[in-house]
Amino acid sequence: MITFFGALILLVLGYVCYSKFVEKVFVINDNTPTPAYTKRDNMDYVPMSWWKGNLIQLLNIAGLGPIYGAVAGALYGPVAFIWIVIGCIFAGGVHDYFSGMMSLRHNGAQFPALVGKYLGKYVRTFINALSLVLMILVAAAFTAGPAQLISQITPLSFIVALIVIFAYFVLATILPVNRIIGKIYPLFGAILLIMAISVGVALVVTGKPIPNLTVENLHPGDLPIWPLLMVTISCGAISGFHCTQSPIIARTMKKESDGRKIFYGAMITEGIIALIWAAAGMAFFNGTVGLQEALAAGGPSGVVNEISTSLLGTVGGILAILGVIILPITTGDTALRSSRMILTDVLAKFFNMEGKIKVILVTIPVAIPAFFLATIDYTFLWRYVGWTNQVVATVMLWTAAMYLLKNKRLHWICGLPAMFMTAVVCTYIFYAPEGLNLDYQLSLVIGLVLTTLVGFWYIAQIRKHPTSKIHVRKNPAA
């Protein structure tokens, strides 16, 4: 239990200390009007309070990601705690903060537009396609589970439940951000947090043995920790999906100093949620063997339901049902909203995209493939969500590193985690079954070679720019 509580304290300290350092490197200015005011359209650009932005951002980036991913990651043992802490503080929090604040500084620009500005038009073309694929996969993967549960507890069939969910998706995607998302999503974000805290308190009160990290249990399973753990636990550590969601909230921010609380704060909160559910997965089933059997029998939703109802009784059962149904749906609809915004940016080069009818027309091409993908096996979808997700995260970190380089600031805070994630995705794509499924040792060698080449490119970029330094300026509005 010491490892768990130590990890929890480190996450809090990460927000208190490191997020302030990251903010100083970025350099905020509350005297600069935000896009919520300069581009207000009462559709996507609408001012909202920071606490609403924080809870909506948490719900958008999380859903069931830090629950399902953490439970699956618990199969690797207490080393999962270490990855959540290091990944969340030095990679995920930095990734989310820069994706949100760079969007804010560029008039609410979408992630691909930022990539194009700092990494070039060819990378932007690639990331436009990859981002849309990721959004569609996320919407599909986070819809199949709720539809299955609805069909089990109501008279509705799976397909009818799917149609109802997607009808809601389209409605939430085309309505102004403050109509549905701004009003009820803070409540759902609070439910996600309350659910995790309740489970964490119950674990402690009931005396469930949360294992500590030791040499003996460093690697309890058969699968290699590197790089599989870093892809299995993405939400809660670092996730590329987040940078597609950040512009939604960046377009609603009232001032720049809210960014640390909204973006970095939501990431740390998600890390705490992932930490609790990883601990629950390890402790409740008496180790990784019991957890693996439970996952094989009931899948992630079955594990979450069993933990919640056993630890929290009737209330836990209600929270579990709300979680398994509502939380992924709210992530799916913002995924489609993001894909609609990205596709609108692409088409705006050729057509006038103003007007509600055009908003609906742009939503349809991303909703239809998501609907059909939702009818296939969930685990198949989730494997592809994993690696595309982390590729997007890696590209966002490199985009932020180039932003800092060009602005003569301390680029290493983004460059080092970008190098780490480059090694993760390069190795994973060659080793994983949904990748090229090569031998593990060969995949390690190829991953190392590709990462080294990217490292040479990074050094070349550093040499093109003057020596970077930390710019620290006091916020005049603070």
Side-chain angles (χ1 to χ4, degrees):
M1 193 171 285
I2 294 175
T3 305
F4 169 73
F5 280 110
L8 194 61
I9 292 170
L10 286 174
L11 282 176
V12 174
L13 290 176
Y15 175 74
V16 172
C17 301
Y18 195 66
S19 70
K20 291 182 180 178
F21 174 72
V22 171
E23 183 182 63
K24 288 181 179 180
V25 173
F26 183 81
V27 185
I28 60 171
N29 183 5
D30 278 350
N31 289 329
T32 303
T34 64
Y37 296 105
T38 59
K39 297 190 67 177
R40 182 165 187 166
D41 61 359
N42 294 322
M43 177 66 181
D44 296 317
Y45 295 88
V46 182
M48 288 198 301
S49 61
W50 74 264
W51 66 268
K52 277 190 175 182
N54 173 273
L55 287 173
I56 295 170
Q57 175 74 359
L58 173 63
L59 190 65
N60 288 356
I61 66 176
L64 285 178
I67 301 178
Y68 282 7
V71 167
L75 290 172
Y76 294 88
V79 71
F81 297 152
I82 308 303
W83 164 237
I84 290 170
V85 170
I86 294 175
C88 191
I89 295 173
F90 298 107
V94 174
H95 169 281
D96 287 17
Y97 182 80
F98 274 89
S99 65
M101 295 304 289
M102 287 175 65
S103 174
L104 182 77
R105 283 282 175 86
H106 293 80
N107 293 315
Q110 288 291 308
F111 164 59
L114 298 174
V115 171
K117 183 174 180 62
Y118 294 100
L119 295 181
K121 62 180 182 180
Y122 296 112
V123 182
R124 176 178 181 171
T125 300
F126 165 75
I127 213 66
N128 258 323
L130 188 63
S131 297
L132 286 171
V133 168
L134 176 59
M135 295 301 94
I136 291 170
L137 285 172
V138 167
F142 276 23
T143 304
Q148 288 173 351
L149 184 55
I150 290 172
S151 67
Q152 292 170 5
I153 63 177
T154 71
L156 299 179
S157 67
F158 172 74
I159 294 297
V160 172
L162 211 57
I163 292 172
V164 171
I165 291 173
F166 269 89
Y168 164 75
F169 277 4
V170 172
L171 182 64
T173 301
I174 64 177
L175 284 175
V177 69
N178 60 338
R179 289 286 181 85
I180 294 179
I181 294 175
K183 289 183 177 178
I184 64 173
Y185 281 27
L187 173 61
F188 293 153
I191 288 174
L192 173 66
L193 188 56
I194 291 169
M195 183 179 178
I197 292 174
S198 301
V199 168
V201 171
L203 281 176
V204 176
V205 171
T206 56
K208 294 290 183 181
I210 303 174
N212 292 313
L213 181 63
T214 63
V215 175
E216 289 76 17
N217 66 10
L218 179 62
H219 191 184
D222 298 324
L223 295 174
I225 292 174
W226 175 272
L228 299 185
L229 176 61
M230 291 76 193
V231 177
T232 302
I233 301 180
S234 54
C235 292
I238 177 172
S239 168
F241 176 68
H242 298 188
C243 69
T244 66
Q245 301 301 292
S246 295
I248 295 176
I249 304 303
R251 296 180 179 192
T252 70
M253 287 172 56
K254 292 183 175 181
K255 55 184 179 180
E256 291 191 353
S257 57
D258 288 342
R260 186 173 71 90
K261 293 176 284 191
I262 292 173
F263 299 115
Y264 204 106
M267 183 67 244
I268 291 294
T269 304
E270 187 184 34
I272 292 172
I273 292 170
L275 200 66
I276 291 171
W277 279 102
M282 294 177 210
F284 188 82
F285 297 98
N286 300 315
T288 56
V289 175
L291 174 60
Q292 192 164 27
E293 291 173 353
L295 285 170
S301 60
V303 167
V304 170
N305 183 61
E306 186 173 350
I307 291 174
S308 300
T309 53
S310 297
L311 291 179
L312 304 175
T314 303
V315 174
I318 294 171
L319 286 174
I321 291 174
L322 284 173
V324 174
I325 293 178
I326 295 175
L327 298 181
I329 289 176
T330 55
T331 298
D333 70 10
T334 51
L336 284 186
R337 189 179 189 92
S338 295
S339 60
R340 185 262 294 170
M341 291 161 68
I342 291 172
L343 193 56
T344 298
D345 285 352
V346 173
L347 296 177
K349 297 179 181 179
F350 309 101
F351 308 101
N352 178 4
M353 297 307 297
E354 295 181 359
K356 292 184 178 180
I357 298 299
K358 291 179 181 177
V359 169
I360 297 173
L361 292 176
V362 172
T363 302
I364 292 173
V366 291
I368 290 176
F371 177 86
F372 283 104
L373 282 173
T375 62
I376 68 177
D377 181 46
Y378 170 85
T379 56
F380 174 81
L381 286 175
W382 193 247
R383 290 203 303 268
Y384 285 92
V385 169
W387 76 262
T388 54
N389 188 39
Q390 298 306 63
V391 169
V392 169
T394 305
V395 173
M396 180 63 235
L397 284 171
W398 281 123
T399 303
M402 292 305 104
Y403 167 83
L404 292 175
L405 259 177
K406 292 181 180 181
N407 285 279
K408 301 179 182 179
R409 296 176 193 162
L410 192 67
H411 55 87
W412 296 107
I413 65 169
C414 294
L416 290 180
M419 284 294 299
F420 179 86
M421 291 306 300
T422 298
V424 168
V425 297
C426 285
T427 306
Y428 186 87
I429 289 171
F430 285 94
Y431 174 66
E434 61 271 21
L436 297 179
N437 202 23
L438 300 181
D439 174 75
Y440 181 62
Q441 299 298 330
L442 178 60
S443 300
L444 288 177
V445 172
I446 296 173
L448 177 62
V449 170
L450 291 176
T451 304
T452 302
L453 292 176
V454 174
F456 286 136
W457 167 81
Y458 185 27
I459 292 171
Q461 295 302 312
I462 294 172
R463 289 176 176 173
K464 288 181 182 179
H465 298 84
T467 303
S468 300
K469 57 185 178 180
I470 304 176
H471 284 253
V472 179
R473 184 171 65 203
K474 199 170 185 179
N475 178 10

